[in-house]
Amino acid sequence: MIEEKLREYDDARITTAIEASDHLDTVRSRLADLLGPPAPRAFTLTFAGQERHSGEAPTSFVVDALNLDDAARILAGLPSWREWYLADAGAPDGHGADIVYLPQQSHPGLPTRGEYADLRGEQKTAALPATGATPTSPARIPVPVTSSPPAPAPASPAARISH
């Protein structure tokens, strides 16, 4: 008699587990729809150009991105970056830039000390031109950055923020 009840118990347990799994999938799907893709957040990328030879601090740039690689790609497409790269980071011999990416000083969030170039405003305006990009889908230049992102440049002195 107990063996008959055990079989009914196992069947009920399996049915309940399947129903709970279906319900959990529905809840997970609805939550994913509500939350959507992750929102971009501030990332700091730090580079040392020629200023490192005279003992000056490296240059940090802040952009909104999903991760460090995304931040480097966005940074490479900004005019202030190109300006710094050409003006401050160019090698004296004209054979490429004298820039060192500092991964230990590049991270999510804002720098905790020192000056940095906050390029988030420029990033938003650069994302709006006639390329069909919108503030939620900025145009990005494909730049491989995982190993060593492009070196950023200080924008105008007005864009620098000191802590």
Side-chain angles (χ1 to χ4, degrees):
M1 191 75 170
I2 293 177
E3 290 176 9
E4 291 173 8
K5 295 292 181 184
L6 182 60
R7 181 168 201 142
E8 287 176 29
Y9 170 76
D10 280 341
D11 288 344
R13 191 172 59 109
I14 290 170
T15 301
T16 303
I18 291 171
E19 289 172 358
S21 175
D22 291 344
H23 179 69
L24 185 59
D25 283 342
T26 302
V27 169
R28 188 186 57 76
S29 174
R30 287 186 182 166
L31 283 174
D33 290 342
L34 289 173
L35 294 176
R41 59 187 175 139
F43 277 85
T44 299
L45 294 170
T46 303
F47 298 86
Q50 291 181 359
E51 73 275 0
R52 74 181 183 281
H53 300 300
S54 60
E56 292 180 42
T59 304
S60 294
F61 299 89
V62 175
V63 294
D64 283 331
L66 299 175
N67 56 47
L68 280 171
D69 287 342
D70 189 38
R73 279 189 283 286
I74 290 168
L75 184 63
L78 296 176
S80 292
W81 159 257
R82 287 189 206 110
E83 182 182 306
W84 176 80
Y85 181 86
L86 295 172
D88 296 341
D93 61 3
H95 292 94
D98 183 18
I99 299 171
V100 176
Y101 171 61
L102 303 174
Q104 67 278 12
Q105 294 182 30
S106 300
H107 53 81
L110 299 174
T112 56
R113 62 182 111 115
E115 290 184 352
Y116 63 95
D118 190 351
L119 301 181
R120 294 176 290 178
E122 180 180 333
Q123 176 186 356
K124 288 177 185 167
T125 58
L128 295 175
T131 61
T134 64
T136 57
S137 66
R140 307 243 165 85
I141 295 176
V143 175
V145 205
T146 309
S147 56
S148 68
S156 68
R160 291 187 161 227
I161 297 174
S162 181
H163 283 286

